Amino acid sequence: MRLISTKNKNNTCSFQDALFNPMPSDGGLWIFEKIEKMNSEFLNNFTSMTLPEIAFWIFKHFDKESEISETDLSIICNEAFNFPLIVKKLSHNIFVAELFHGKTMAFKDFGARFLARMMQHFARDIHIITATSGDTGSAVADAFCELTNIKVSILYPKNMVSNVQEVQMTSQGDNVMAYEVSSTFDTCQDIVKKAFLDNDINKKISSANSINIGRLLGQVFYYFIIVKETLLLTDKKEITISIPSGNVGNITSCAIAKKLGLPIKLMIGACNINNSFAKYININKFEQKDVVRTYSNAMDISRPSNLERLILIYDNKKFDDIIGNTTNDKITLEVIKYFYNKFNYIMCPHTACAADALLSNLNQNSIGIIVSTAHYIKFNDTVEKALRKKTIIPESIKNLLKKKQFKILVEADYDIWKNLFKEKNSF
């Protein structure tokens, strides 16, 4: 598999090297050199395939150099994707794709589990350093906690993740350390990026953020299942898909799936008021501003890393099949209440942003798919505020919240974090 840097197409590497060195030395990100359409046999038959089978064939499509044997690839795909993806029909043209049926109840389980098993396959001793606005940290902590040759350090913004997310990150095990940073996600992400350019510590570190191409690829596969399951429930063929968009990895994965031949007419980047991505898509102008805390905290990001990948995928041309949408907190609560009253369906605030974006932009001749990225229980305070009633909390969540947490509070300063990191690890 040949990958190129977003900053320099002549800077190339293999898939294995990109897993363990996720940021090129030029400061860009790795992306596929070519994204060619899948062959007609696959595109005519993927609707009869399982997710592990789809992942197997798409990976082989990219892996021209056969970095992984077919036997090993099959085992990895089956172990990574061992939980369901469920599509529900709410009306004649509105569907919800639930990506939260993995262990940490968020879509990040797909990419994190795939990445973890790929890294385990190549069997390198490595330290994962990842920034999170919530669900990435939960999924990464769970996916890597049992892999003894891999340590994990998670950086998350203080007071900007939910209680469930924080416990999932801070209670996993001896090989997982959580750093609570007194700042925003953007600062956490900046610290991670600086670490990869720091020759003092960057020899044995990697990332499980969507800056890692392995995480991103693990999210491409499920879009084929989303479309497959939706088409089983309707006769309509024109598809509009609305995707919660923070660091823009999820919609980038969808754009890759479309380039592979998945029949999607329109993608909507659903943002909260931290909407630099939506503005860029709609008016081709990037306006960075200070992050504002919202109910949809995983999208509280002003500098989406994956935007440079998306720009390269579209060869610096106009995004004709992507539009951006902005939803504020007031509307988020209204949408949660609306879908509960009309469809008896409860959704998390990120999903509500996608639902609002879909309702605002759906052509009645199209199928509308809302990508639901997390179970509502992870944001239960917001959901109960919207519904003005108590929800039922699963016993598994009650037991989770009783777990003992281990975390390190750190100021928003790279050198301070680096010294703590080196103190805790043999660098």
Side-chain angles (χ1 to χ4, degrees):
M1 187 181 298
R2 189 176 172 87
L3 301 164
I4 61 172
S5 170
T6 53
K7 293 282 195 295
N8 179 3
K9 293 182 180 181
N10 294 318
N11 190 359
T12 65
C13 78
S14 67
F15 179 70
Q16 180 181 170
D17 285 341
L19 287 183
F20 294 99
N21 301 284
M23 280 191 67
S25 57
D26 56 26
L29 295 174
W30 297 118
I31 189 62
F32 307 107
E33 182 181 39
K34 294 180 181 179
I35 305 176
E36 298 173 328
K37 192 173 182 179
M38 297 288 292
N39 62 42
S40 57
E41 182 179 3
F42 174 86
L43 293 174
N44 290 334
N45 292 289
F46 79 87
T47 53
S48 63
M49 296 181 186
T50 64
L51 179 54
E53 289 170 339
I54 287 170
F56 176 89
W57 288 111
I58 291 177
F59 190 92
K60 276 181 59 68
H61 175 74
F62 282 115
D63 189 26
K64 308 299 185 187
E65 292 78 16
S66 298
E67 292 187 55
I68 301 175
S69 72
E70 290 190 0
T71 299
D72 289 338
L73 177 60
S74 179
I75 292 171
I76 288 168
C77 292
N78 279 285
E79 288 184 352
F81 306 121
N82 62 354
F83 54 95
L85 186 164
I86 297 173
V87 174
K88 293 183 177 177
K89 184 176 183 179
L90 300 186
S91 73
H92 71 284
N93 67 338
I94 298 178
F95 301 80
V96 178
E98 296 182 343
L99 304 185
F100 52 71
H101 293 283
K103 191 173 176 182
T104 72
M105 301 180 291
F107 80 101
K108 305 291 179 69
D109 285 323
F110 289 95
R113 288 177 61 82
F114 180 73
L115 176 63
R117 275 140 192 82
M118 279 290 175
M119 286 183 159
Q120 184 182 39
H121 167 77
F122 289 116
R124 292 193 197 177
D125 289 336
I126 200 73
H127 196 124
I128 299 294
I129 302 176
T130 198
T132 183
S133 53
D135 286 327
T136 290
S138 302
V140 168
D142 177 73
F144 285 89
C145 68
E146 296 178 357
L147 306 186
T148 56
N149 63 319
I150 301 178
K151 291 185 177 181
V152 178
S153 289
I154 299 169
L155 290 79
Y156 68 95
K158 183 179 181 180
N159 297 327
M160 296 185 75
V161 300
S162 74
N163 290 338
V164 173
Q165 288 172 325
E166 185 171 42
V167 176
Q168 286 177 331
M169 286 185 276
T170 58
S171 63
Q172 285 292 354
D174 293 340
N175 70 322
V176 178
M177 177 56 67
Y179 294 88
E180 184 183 38
V181 182
S182 298
S183 189
T184 66
F185 168 79
D186 288 324
T187 299
C188 297
Q189 185 162 253
D190 285 344
I191 291 174
V192 171
K193 288 183 175 181
K194 286 179 181 178
F196 285 108
L197 300 175
D198 187 338
N199 292 330
D200 192 26
I201 62 171
N202 68 1
K203 298 299 185 289
K204 284 191 175 183
I205 65 174
S206 186
S207 176
N209 281 89
S210 57
I211 63 173
N212 193 310
I213 193 67
R215 241 283 307 278
L216 201 72
L217 179 56
Q219 296 173 188
V220 171
F221 311 136
Y222 59 62
Y223 280 102
F224 285 83
I225 292 293
I226 289 174
V227 170
K228 165 195 169 179
E229 295 297 322
T230 303
L231 292 178
L232 291 174
L233 298 172
T234 180
D235 294 328
K236 293 186 177 183
K237 302 297 181 185
E238 185 177 291
I239 296 172
T240 294
I241 188 162
S242 184
I243 304 167
S245 298
N247 212 25
V248 192
N250 212 354
I251 199 167
T252 299
S253 294
C254 188
I256 293 170
K258 183 176 180 182
K259 276 196 164 289
L260 291 172
L262 192 64
I264 296 173
K265 183 178 178 62
L266 179 66
M267 293 169 278
I268 307 173
C271 298
N272 59 31
I273 59 173
N274 299 292
N275 61 351
S276 56
F277 173 64
K279 284 189 174 181
Y280 180 84
I281 290 295
N282 292 341
I283 63 176
N284 197 31
K285 182 180 179 182
F286 189 80
E287 296 180 356
Q288 186 180 321
K289 56 185 180 181
D290 291 339
V291 171
V292 177
R293 186 178 180 182
T294 73
Y295 294 138
S296 47
N297 68 281
M299 293 148 57
D300 291 349
I301 297 168
S302 68
R303 300 192 303 275
S305 287
N306 286 288
L307 179 56
E308 62 186 272
R309 278 186 173 133
L310 202 59
I311 290 170
L312 193 63
I313 289 170
Y314 280 79
D315 198 22
N316 291 294
K317 296 176 182 176
K318 188 177 179 181
F319 298 93
D320 290 328
D321 53 359
I322 303 178
I323 59 173
N325 193 84
T326 301
T327 302
N328 63 34
D329 274 353
K330 180 175 181 293
I331 295 175
T332 297
L333 296 179
E334 291 172 353
V335 169
I336 292 171
K337 184 176 181 179
Y338 171 81
F339 271 79
Y340 177 72
N341 290 338
K342 187 172 181 63
F343 303 112
N344 195 32
Y345 188 85
I346 304 178
M347 58 180 55
C348 85
H350 309 80
T351 307
C353 289
D356 175 55
L358 186 75
L359 294 177
S360 302
N361 295 282
L362 181 61
N363 182 320
Q364 289 304 306
N365 294 320
S366 295
I367 302 166
I369 304 174
I370 301 163
V371 174
S372 183
T373 49
H375 194 290
Y376 75 82
I377 204 67
K378 298 187 79 171
F379 309 93
N380 199 44
D381 289 346
T382 299
V383 170
E384 289 184 345
K385 183 174 183 178
L387 300 182
R388 297 182 181 179
K389 60 180 290 186
K390 292 289 184 181
T391 60
I392 299 174
I393 300 177
E395 285 299 317
S396 60
I397 296 297
K398 291 180 181 178
N399 293 332
L400 173 70
L401 293 175
K402 296 176 184 176
K403 283 189 173 184
K404 189 174 182 179
Q405 298 183 54
F406 301 91
K407 59 185 178 179
I408 297 175
L409 179 64
V410 60
E411 295 302 313
D413 181 278
Y414 175 72
D415 290 329
I416 293 175
W417 173 81
K418 176 184 170 181
N419 289 334
L420 283 169
F421 178 73
K422 291 180 70 175
E423 180 183 313
K424 295 290 180 182
N425 301 282
S426 55
F427 280 86

